[in-house]
Amino acid sequence: MKKTIISILAIGAATAASPAMAQSNDTQAEFYVGASAGYHDVGDLPIVGTVDGIILGGYAGVDVPIGETIIIGLEGNYHFGTSDIDSEYGIAAKLGTRVGNNGQVFLRGGYQEVDFDLGNIVGGGVPAGLDDSDGDYLVGVGGQISTGNNIGLRLVVDTIGFDTVRATVGVQYNF
């Protein structure tokens, strides 16, 4: 699993380093908000088995062009979870490149906190006040494409601490 994630990140890094197919001279910061859905596979734990869940939520951020093809950005996210995940939230910096007139591929890194549903995981009650959250660094790769009228679509694959796999799709509005 870790080899697959490392391969995905290497491909993303190579793609981000390649020149864009077409170039834009737009140098203004672009703010965006979006809705996303996905799946987070936390992995197998002794005794309890697989810990995972569907996540639904949103994200907001800003992209700033640096030159003609390079983009840096910052974004935050919050998702409600199902099954073993109550919620998760985080922040990530982005480094990307333009692809064509309306696309972008990017690498991202940051921090993600996951609040687990321990009652669901262990199949019963848990003591009140027990800390059921865990966080670690986030590393990911993604791509997005503008479909016109300030609307965009995106796909992101992340790992948290190289222990989990988190894939999301989103629809965003660019200001």
Side-chain angles (χ1 to χ4, degrees):
M1 179 64 94
K2 288 185 181 179
K3 288 182 181 179
T4 303
I5 293 169
I6 292 170
S7 296
I8 291 170
L9 294 175
I11 292 168
T15 305
S18 67
M21 296 166 69
Q23 300 181 8
S24 169
N25 291 324
D26 186 11
T27 58
Q28 293 185 349
E30 184 174 86
F31 295 88
Y32 57 89
V33 296
S36 61
Y39 174 74
H40 193 163
D41 180 358
V42 178
D44 290 332
L45 298 178
I47 302 171
V48 298
T50 301
V51 176
D52 63 0
I54 293 173
I55 53 175
L56 305 165
Y59 57 95
V62 60
D63 283 342
V64 179
I66 304 295
E68 294 182 3
T69 60
I70 303 299
I71 298 164
I72 61 171
L74 183 67
E75 72 177 41
N77 73 79
Y78 183 86
H79 291 86
F80 295 101
T82 65
S83 187
D84 302 330
I85 300 172
D86 278 336
S87 64
E88 57 182 61
Y89 57 91
I91 188 165
K94 291 172 52 181
L95 173 63
T97 185
R98 295 180 196 272
V99 177
N101 290 326
N102 57 355
Q104 179 187 132
V105 293
F106 56 86
L107 299 173
R108 60 192 221 147
Y111 182 82
Q112 190 78 8
E113 185 79 15
V114 180
D115 182 19
F116 295 99
D117 183 344
L118 287 183
N120 190 63
I121 293 170
V122 299
V126 294
L130 183 65
D131 183 12
D132 61 350
S133 64
D134 191 21
D136 208 340
Y137 63 91
L138 172 137
V139 178
V141 61
Q144 60 193 47
I145 188 164
S146 175
T147 61
N149 297 326
N150 295 336
I151 303 296
L153 303 173
R154 77 187 229 158
L155 171 67
V156 178
V157 177
D158 297 315
T159 180
I160 300 172
F162 288 100
D163 294 325
T164 75
V165 177
R166 179 179 179 271
T168 57
V169 295
V171 173
Q172 70 188 37
Y173 179 78
N174 302 312
F175 295 96

